[in-house]
Amino acid sequence: ASALARTFYDVDRLGAFFDIIHQDPVISQVKLIAEPWDLGAGGYQVGNFPVLWTEWNGRYRDSMRKFWAGQGEPLSQVASRLSGSRDLYEHTGRRPHASINFITCHDGFTLNDLVSYNSKHNEANLEGNNDGANDNHSWNCGAEGATDDARIKALRGRQRRNMLATLFFSLGVPMITCGDEVCATQNGNNNSYCQDNELTWRQLWELTPEQENLLKFTRKLIEIRKTENVLQRRRFFHGDRSRFSGLKDILWKHPDGRAMEDREWDDPNCRSLLLVMEGSSIDEMGEDGRRVIGNTLCILINADYKDVAFELPKHPKGQKPYLMLFNTADEEIPQMDKFYRGGDRVTLMDHSMMVLALKASINYSNRKFSIAMPSST
């Protein structure tokens, strides 16, 4: 999209292209989504498109890939991307939905290949493996390509689940690539535009148990995303106290339960983090004119190469138990509810992620829940 916005040589966010789009009675009313880069000088324009536009957030993609691959991504960047990329979009008056978050897209590695290859393998394109990007921020988990090593296969499974879970529990709009939910592979080819064959055709019907499990996990993430109000905030987190609940809208914690120190945010050796998205501090009104209240989510992230113990925070408004929604260390979705208390210590396996919920007042209906809004009295 940057190419369309160039005036002579430079990308001009005040140029005629944007004026025409914004003045058109039809186009100005549809969803405007930009892939905000091109190959020219100054073409990388993530965060620079005007109001009304949403953007593929390339910085989100790169940050999350590097973080889970252990490539030194600082927690300061990870936190910014998880919380909607306020640093990129708020200064132009845009909201969290301006960030289209993604890990993979139509070009580049599939999710499965992202955790299976360190380097591109584009020999089938007949260009001497010179085509396609080299900076994929991928990690093969110990072997290049397909392997029978059970330990590596288990780690790759966790990494796939980690990236999907991170995507769905980040503020913004999640975008997934068709086939990633069933471990689609292109055998390491990251520039498959010229391949109209089995390499790029998606086989979505006859699935292996591993593929079935990932598909069920993806469906679970979508279900949670659709029902958790705190993930559908219309405004950015600021770390401020709510004028209604008196609680901060988001908390960032070290695994041992204390507040993060300034130096730790930019220390590449810090790879674990706990965050709390407070469901009673959304401070927005629903369509019925009443406050939006949701469950409080506690997210534990361990991208380290060793197991890490986390201390669950005690909620200041009571001692309701945490319900575990999922743990990416589990290959299958647990069938039994599991609860924890504030102050409990929970050990996360290396390269894994756990999400817990403190339930608001809820009404159960068909095994799904809807938030019971408080009365106006």
Side-chain angles (χ1 to χ4, degrees):
S2 296
L4 298 175
R6 288 186 180 273
T7 302
F8 297 106
Y9 299 104
D10 297 325
V11 177
D12 184 2
R13 61 194 301 260
L14 299 177
F17 169 73
F18 292 119
D19 285 342
I20 292 171
I21 292 294
H22 293 166
Q23 292 171 18
D24 187 279
V26 176
I27 299 178
S28 64
Q29 302 304 307
V30 303
K31 295 177 181 178
L32 301 171
I33 305 174
E35 185 177 352
W37 49 77
D38 64 22
L39 295 177
Y44 192 80
Q45 293 292 317
V46 172
N48 292 329
F49 271 60
V51 175
L52 300 185
W53 286 81
T54 63
E55 302 173 7
W56 282 21
N57 190 342
R59 289 181 61 180
Y60 180 96
R61 172 200 60 200
D62 296 345
S63 183
M64 293 309 174
R65 285 187 178 193
K66 288 189 286 186
F67 176 66
W68 283 113
Q71 296 176 358
E73 185 71 354
L75 290 177
S76 58
Q77 284 296 313
V78 174
S80 293
R81 305 307 143 229
L82 282 169
S83 55
S85 296
R86 180 164 64 100
D87 57 326
L88 298 179
Y89 301 111
E90 190 175 47
H91 69 283
T92 58
R94 288 184 285 176
R95 300 282 182 87
H97 69 262
S99 179
I100 307 297
N101 300 327
F102 68 105
I103 304 290
T104 65
C105 61
H106 63 281
D107 54 10
F109 279 150
T110 66
L111 180 62
N112 182 78
D113 290 358
L114 190 66
V115 302
S116 303
Y117 295 90
N118 283 346
S119 305
K120 65 184 182 183
H121 293 268
N122 296 351
E123 290 81 6
N125 297 350
L126 304 180
E127 295 188 34
N129 205 32
N130 293 314
D131 62 312
N134 294 311
D135 55 341
N136 298 290
H137 306 302
S138 60
W139 177 42
N140 65 18
C141 299
E144 190 73 354
T147 181
D148 292 326
D149 187 302
R151 182 188 61 83
I152 294 175
K153 291 174 70 173
L155 175 55
R156 288 177 178 176
R158 295 201 302 277
Q159 288 289 74
R160 287 191 292 264
R161 293 188 291 273
N162 287 336
M163 293 194 201
L164 285 170
T166 304
L167 182 62
F168 278 95
F169 281 80
S170 299
L171 202 60
V173 180
M175 180 180 80
I176 64 173
T177 304
C178 177
D180 280 352
E181 74 281 13
V182 292
C183 313
T185 180
Q186 294 173 175
N187 300 328
N189 193 318
N190 74 349
N191 194 35
S192 61
Y193 75 99
C194 57
Q195 301 290 338
D196 184 12
N197 49 48
E198 289 85 354
L199 189 69
T200 55
W201 297 343
R202 297 292 180 251
Q203 202 293 95
L204 305 175
W205 296 272
E206 297 177 3
L207 303 179
T208 66
E210 180 183 47
Q211 291 174 310
E212 286 278 7
N213 285 336
L214 187 60
L215 179 59
K216 290 177 182 177
F217 180 73
T218 306
R219 287 172 174 163
K220 177 70 172 179
L221 294 177
I222 294 172
E223 178 186 355
I224 296 172
R225 175 79 188 205
K226 290 169 66 176
T227 55
E228 294 295 347
N229 285 350
V230 76
L231 297 174
Q232 301 171 31
R233 292 174 57 100
R234 296 191 293 268
R235 292 180 173 82
F236 290 104
F237 293 106
H238 285 87
D240 297 332
R241 294 189 181 277
S242 163
R243 57 197 172 105
F244 296 111
S245 71
L247 302 177
K248 291 185 177 180
D249 55 11
I250 192 166
L251 292 173
W252 305 95
K253 297 282 189 178
H254 188 275
D256 65 12
R258 60 176 171 80
M260 292 284 293
E261 297 179 7
D262 289 345
R263 61 174 180 81
E264 292 171 325
W265 284 111
D266 294 309
D267 184 349
N269 294 314
C270 291
R271 303 188 183 98
S272 302
L273 182 68
L274 182 152
L275 64 144
V276 178
M277 298 179 176
E278 178 57 54
S280 65
S281 299
I282 299 174
D283 283 12
E284 297 171 8
M285 299 297 170
E287 293 181 356
D288 59 1
R290 292 185 288 180
R291 279 181 60 205
V292 175
I293 295 178
N295 300 324
T296 294
L297 298 181
C298 181
I299 303 175
L300 287 58
I301 299 173
N302 179 24
D304 213 326
Y305 294 91
K306 63 180 184 296
D307 297 356
V308 173
F310 288 76
E311 181 177 318
L312 298 183
K314 296 180 180 179
H315 196 271
K317 294 291 186 178
Q319 292 300 313
K320 284 186 178 181
Y322 289 97
L323 170 65
M324 188 187 78
L325 301 183
F326 63 83
N327 184 344
T328 61
D330 298 328
E331 293 185 13
E332 299 184 24
I333 298 171
Q335 299 301 309
M336 300 288 291
D337 288 344
K338 190 170 185 178
F339 294 92
Y340 297 91
R341 292 279 181 183
D344 286 352
R345 291 184 68 81
V346 179
T347 299
L348 253 63
M349 191 176 187
D350 68 279
H351 299 97
S352 68
M353 175 176 170
M354 180 187 287
V355 176
L356 307 107
L358 276 176
K359 294 291 186 177
S361 299
I362 56 177
N363 292 327
Y364 285 93
S365 175
N366 297 325
R367 299 186 68 183
K368 296 183 179 180
F369 64 83
S370 59
I371 301 301
M373 304 300 291
S375 65
S376 56
T377 58

